[in-house]
Amino acid sequence: MKRLLRLLAWLLGLVLGVVLLAALGVYLTLRASLPQVEGRIALKGLSTPVEVVRDRWGVVRVRAASLEDLFFAQGFVHAQERLWQMEFQRRVGQGRLAEVLGEAALPQDRFLRTWGFYRAAESAYERLYPEEKRVVDAYVAGVNAFLESGAPLPPEFRLLSFRPEPWTGPDVLVWAKMMSFDLSMNWEEELLRHRLLARGVSPERLLELLPPYPEDAPTILQAEDLNLPLSREEAPAALLRLAPPRFLEASNNWVVSGSRTATGKPLLANDPHLGLQAPSLWFLMALEAPGYRVIGATLPGVPGIVIGRNECIAWGVTNVGADVQDLYLLEDVEGKGYRYKGQVVPYRVREERIRVKGGKEEVLRVRETHYGPVITDALQDPPKTPMALRWVSLDEEDHILMAFLGVNRARNWQEFTEALRHYSAPSQNFVYADVDGNIGYIAPGKFPIRREGHTGMVPVPGNGEWDWQGYRKPEEWPKVLNPKEGFVVTANHKVTPKGFPYALTYDWAEPYRAERIREMLLAKEKLSLEDMKAIQMDQKSLLFRDFRPVLELINPLSERSRTWRERLLAWDGVADRASEEALVFALWYTELTRLPEKEVGEAYWDEPRYLLKALREGDPNCDQPGTEYQESCLDFAALALERALDRKEALRARSWGEVHQATFPHAVLTHTPLKRFTDRRVPFGGDRYTVNVGPFVPESLQMTHGPSYRQIVDLSDPEASLFIHPMGQSGHFLSPHYADLLPLWTRGGYLPMAFSAPGRERVLLLEPGR
């Protein structure tokens, strides 16, 4: 018996040893694909040596003797650190995910192919200006140099058993199209309104459910800076009744004049709010060549710096949310086409062949019209009437890359605004500052000119009567240099004051974040860089401030509700991750958003001004079904508090951060057991309306969007500027730089935004090869 036990123990030890050796082998194989960061690499395509310096955090500084070599090196380094991310992004743009992920990705591929993002990128590449094309081609050559270098591919390629194809010019441009799509969502708002009207919601009721931007709320630009008449309305009230807005949020930035700072020079801050992911959306770099010296946030797969500074100027961006998409209702003539300008016009049909890993190739027939693709064909629950899309980012020509190249090199306001004349979409709120003390703002973009009566907020007939009539000229774009107020704040709230000659959109974010930033800027006579940090990290909820009076009026339904009402009334409204009050308020507000569920067909209706009006003045949705008693809206609010406390008890949570966590999923491996190595989550505070934003999914309370990058530039000493992004610089989950920035980002830390690398450096020399 003892011999048998010893034999079993020996066999078990042998099996464990084999498993451990196999695991070690896999680990060493995957580690072998980490990038080379020191020494020398010979690369065909370079004309002169390029120095690539990495600091202790993996932030990259590239120094080259020419622009072509600089962008070649940027493409090479991006591929070294983020090749899988770049591959995934271009496959999204191409609509080719099913080739490597299988049938589960088919619906997404159908949607992406129908829109035609990659076709638009191919068209734009063919029409690039010579300088743009040289930059794109140099960058592409750098990516391909990595693919040809013999370096092991990132783990995802091994796990999915495929090799990437060579990079091309359209692969660079398609990600700009996808970013434009992510930040231009008016088509969804048009579909929402169309659906609600089809459910029998009247235009008047729609205006209550989706209230317009408050007339007394701040705007980015002031009438006094634009010399506008104060009495003129920007759109007839009758049009607003048919086009109620729905908010769109995606970032903060502000710039402060030297007259308001301790140094006497401007301060500029920016934190774009985008999807949180592993690896990070951004990659930090400094790029140096003759006539080009810039540092900031780059997008892997795209050359240049998107947000940052050079030696003379700094800039930051947030989403305008401009309405650059329209849906057109088509009069479908069975088997013949659609009616346009009194004639039946046949659809142009293109075939898209979608290859499927482990399955049959699918042939997708996409109908094209005068306006663009019939996108409702790709929806899982399409409306009865087919709709075609008109969108600026599907235009044949697009020079957004030229705009950013010019911004990177600009040395003053004139050069900065001149560069942005090439800008297309998505329109961004650009704030500006320079070392000479100037500050400014501009919203560039291709803004459609619509005929009178077309608000752009609901689908219109696609019969030729509502076609666009061109685009606004750059001279007409909203802009200001050195505003009288001494600062500019943008938080996706309304750009233009009354009297501005045209509407950019009717969809604006709620003004809570803008109001809070303004409060903090006006609270001190002289502002410092530390004050900018405090604003970026601020999580005081003005949403709570608005809903606090409701708590004062309700009659609690239990002793625990009474206790918690008193605790909330004594709370300062700071939604810190350690706060239990922040947890209860978030749960209560989430329950309040259920109010119009039966009417609108959505479980959560996050429209604070609709809810406030209902709770103050009453609303038909407050009376609960299945009871003899006719509940008031304050009764509903009291019941919502009870439900919130029930949910809190079920969660067994004592603080907001226990359940409200910023999540960073890997796009593919999050669906596999490897997610324990690739995914990250950290406790976080805030809510959808705090400056340090913390939006959450109502069902899970998880935070999937947030500050994807933070930047503070001090124009009195630009080398003392700061930046950071979550996760880390590397896309390789075994790299020490995969998630080393996450703790720093979470607690409000920053890295030096300096051309000189701090601390220990690792130097890689890229040399011309044969």
Side-chain angles (χ1 to χ4, degrees), residues 384-532:
K384 293 180 180 179
T385 304
M387 300 185 200
L389 174 79
R390 177 77 170 93
W391 179 32
V392 301
S393 289
L394 294 182
D395 285 359
E396 290 184 341
E397 198 162 350
D398 189 344
H399 299 290
I400 192 169
L401 182 59
M402 192 70 181
F404 276 110
L405 292 172
V407 165
N408 287 184
R409 291 182 295 201
R411 305 182 68 82
N412 52 50
W413 173 253
Q414 182 179 352
E415 292 179 7
F416 177 75
T417 54
E418 184 64 26
L420 288 174
R421 292 176 71 91
H422 298 290
Y423 197 91
S424 52
S427 180
Q428 298 287 287
N429 295 301
F430 278 82
V431 293
Y432 164 96
D434 62 38
V435 293
D436 295 325
N438 298 297
I439 68 169
Y441 165 91
I442 184 170
K446 296 174 73 172
F447 304 123
I449 300 173
R450 298 177 174 90
R451 58 168 282 187
E452 186 176 352
H454 182 4
T455 63
M457 305 308 288
V458 291
V460 293
N463 56 13
E465 294 182 12
W466 302 94
D467 291 12
W468 291 356
Q469 300 169 357
Y471 295 117
R472 301 286 176 184
K473 297 177 181 178
E475 291 77 18
E476 300 177 89
W477 293 345
K479 63 176 177 288
V480 65
L481 177 65
N482 296 323
K484 294 176 183 177
E485 200 168 23
F487 63 85
V488 177
V489 172
T490 94
N492 316 115
H493 63 302
K494 190 177 180 181
V495 172
T496 53
K498 281 185 178 181
F500 197 77
Y502 63 90
L504 294 171
T505 183
Y506 295 101
D507 287 335
W508 304 109
E510 292 291 338
Y512 290 121
R513 286 181 290 119
E515 289 171 345
R516 180 59 181 161
I517 295 168
R518 289 180 60 86
E519 280 182 10
M520 297 185 77
L521 290 177
L522 292 169
K524 298 181 73 172
E525 186 175 342
K526 297 292 181 180
L527 296 154
S528 67
L529 187 141
E530 292 300 316
D531 293 320
M532 302 298 103

Side-chain angles (χ1 to χ4, degrees), residues 11 47 69 74 116 171 175 341 538 565 749 753:
L11 288 173
S47 58
D69 284 347
Q74 186 184 20
D171 296 340
W175 194 239
K341 291 189 175 180
D538 182 72
R565 186 187 72 161
M753 190 183 187

Side-chain angles (χ1 to χ4, degrees), residues 544-667:
F544 170 73
R545 188 171 67 185
D546 270 3
F547 279 80
R548 188 181 182 280
V550 177
L551 284 168
E552 294 178 334
L553 296 173
I554 66 172
N555 292 315
L557 300 180
S558 68
E559 189 57 38
R560 64 172 185 170
S561 286
R562 194 177 310 280
T563 299
W564 267 107
R565 186 187 72 161
E566 295 310 311
R567 284 189 63 173
L568 287 174
L569 290 175
W571 180 43
D572 61 5
V574 176
D576 184 82
R577 62 185 174 181
S579 169
E580 194 171 6
E581 287 83 357
L583 168 61
V584 173
F585 174 66
L587 292 172
W588 179 56
Y589 180 74
T590 299
E591 291 301 319
L592 290 177
T593 65
R594 292 177 178 273
L595 179 62
E597 179 177 357
K598 185 177 179 181
E599 182 178 14
V600 301
E602 293 188 12
Y604 303 97
W605 194 254
D606 190 357
E607 292 286 347
R609 280 177 292 113
Y610 159 71
L611 296 172
L612 282 169
K613 186 174 185 292
L615 294 169
R616 289 168 181 162
E617 302 176 14
D619 188 89
N621 288 312
C622 293
D623 186 22
Q624 297 298 288
T627 65
E628 295 181 3
Y629 177 70
Q630 186 172 354
E631 291 89 354
S632 70
C633 287
L634 290 178
D635 291 331
F636 179 86
L639 181 60
L641 183 55
E642 279 293 314
R643 289 170 174 163
L645 295 175
D646 286 343
R647 191 173 176 191
K648 179 181 182 296
E649 290 178 4
L651 290 168
R652 298 182 179 179
R654 296 296 300 273
S655 70
W656 184 213
E658 284 184 58
V659 293
H660 180 245
Q661 299 188 336
T663 59
F664 299 84
H666 187 284

Side-chain angles (χ1 to χ4, degrees), residues 28-87:
L28 292 175
T29 300
L30 295 180
R31 272 194 64 82
S33 59
L34 288 170
Q36 179 181 341
V37 297
E38 292 181 298
R40 298 168 181 269
I41 301 178
L43 297 172
K44 184 179 178 181
L46 275 179
S47 58
T48 57
V50 177
E51 186 181 61
V52 177
V53 179
R54 287 171 169 87
D55 67 17
R56 62 183 289 247
W57 298 104
V59 177
V60 175
R61 292 159 175 86
V62 182
R63 303 182 182 102
S66 71
L67 277 179
E68 285 79 5
D69 284 347
L70 179 68
F71 291 117
F72 179 102
Q74 186 184 20
F76 182 84
V77 171
H78 274 168
Q80 274 192 308
E81 299 286 1
R82 301 286 189 90
L83 181 63
W84 165 253
Q85 178 183 7
M86 293 163 61
E87 174 68 20

